[in-house]
Amino acid sequence: MEARGRAMPAVAAAVLVLLVLVPEACRAERFIVGDTARWTWGYNYTDWVVKKGPFFQNDILVFRYDPPNTTTHAHSVYMMKNLADYQSCNLNASKLVADVMQGAGSGFEFVLKKRKMHYFVCGERGGIHCNAGQMKFIVKPKSSVCRD
C-alpha cells in the first residue's frame, strides 16, 4: 500500500511534464470568403486566397451572399471535379454545395476536411459568374493545423 502511495506523485509529475511538452491542439480558423466584399461578382478571389493563405485542414470557409432579389444577382457555390472543369467553368460534373439561399445571414460554412484541391465556383447563369465575373478560386489545405 505504501509503494502505491509513493507512485501517485510520480504519475502526476509525468502527466504534468507531458502537458507542458506536448503543444496545445491547434485550432482551425474561420474565413469569410472575400472578406467584406463577400461572395460577389467581379472580386479577385485568387488574390484573396494568396493574401489569406495558407489554409489548413478543418479551416472553415464562409460564403456570404444575398439571396436573389430585384437588385442583386443570385449566387451559389459549386465544387468542380477537376482543374480542367474549373478553368473552363464546365458545370456538367460539378457538385452544388450551397444554393442561392444558403449564403444569406451568417452564410454557408464549408469545412476543408480533406487535404486535396478544392475548386470553388459560382454556377449561376450557366457559369457566366465563373467565367466573366471571376467568381472562382482554388484551395489546397495543408495537413497541419498549427500556425506560426
Side-chain angles (χ1 to χ4, degrees):
M1 192 71 145
E2 192 174 312
R4 185 181 278 180
R6 285 192 305 257
M8 291 305 284
V11 169
V15 169
L16 183 61
V17 167
L18 284 174
L19 289 173
V20 170
L21 294 177
V22 176
E24 182 181 327
C26 299
R27 292 200 219 205
E29 285 196 31
R30 195 170 176 270
F31 297 90
I32 306 298
V33 175
D35 296 323
T36 58
R38 306 181 323 148
W39 187 234
T40 190
W41 173 271
Y43 186 84
N44 189 330
Y45 293 97
T46 300
D47 282 352
W48 177 82
V49 168
V50 170
K51 289 175 189 172
K52 292 295 179 175
F55 295 89
F56 296 89
Q57 282 180 288
N58 298 315
D59 279 349
I60 302 164
L61 301 179
V62 181
F63 292 85
R64 288 188 181 159
Y65 47 93
D66 295 326
N69 61 50
T70 57
T71 60
T72 63
H73 294 288
H75 298 300
S76 58
V77 182
Y78 280 80
M79 180 80 70
M80 305 304 271
K81 187 175 182 178
N82 54 47
L83 181 60
D85 287 349
Y86 169 82
Q87 290 174 326
S88 66
C89 297
N90 177 2
L91 298 167
N92 291 334
S94 65
K95 177 183 177 188
L96 176 67
V97 293
D99 68 26
V100 296
M101 299 304 289
Q102 288 176 278
S106 59
F108 169 76
E109 293 187 355
F110 185 92
V111 180
L112 297 167
K113 292 181 182 177
K114 296 182 181 178
R115 201 175 130 245
K116 67 170 193 155
M117 294 296 224
H118 293 77
Y119 304 98
F120 295 102
V121 306
C122 176
E124 294 309 298
R125 299 185 64 195
I128 194 169
H129 289 189
C130 176
N131 276 312
Q134 293 301 301
M135 288 185 75
K136 62 183 188 176
F137 66 94
I138 302 170
V139 171
K140 182 178 183 192
K142 293 183 175 189
S143 59
S144 170
V145 294
C146 294
R147 290 174 165 80
D148 295 330

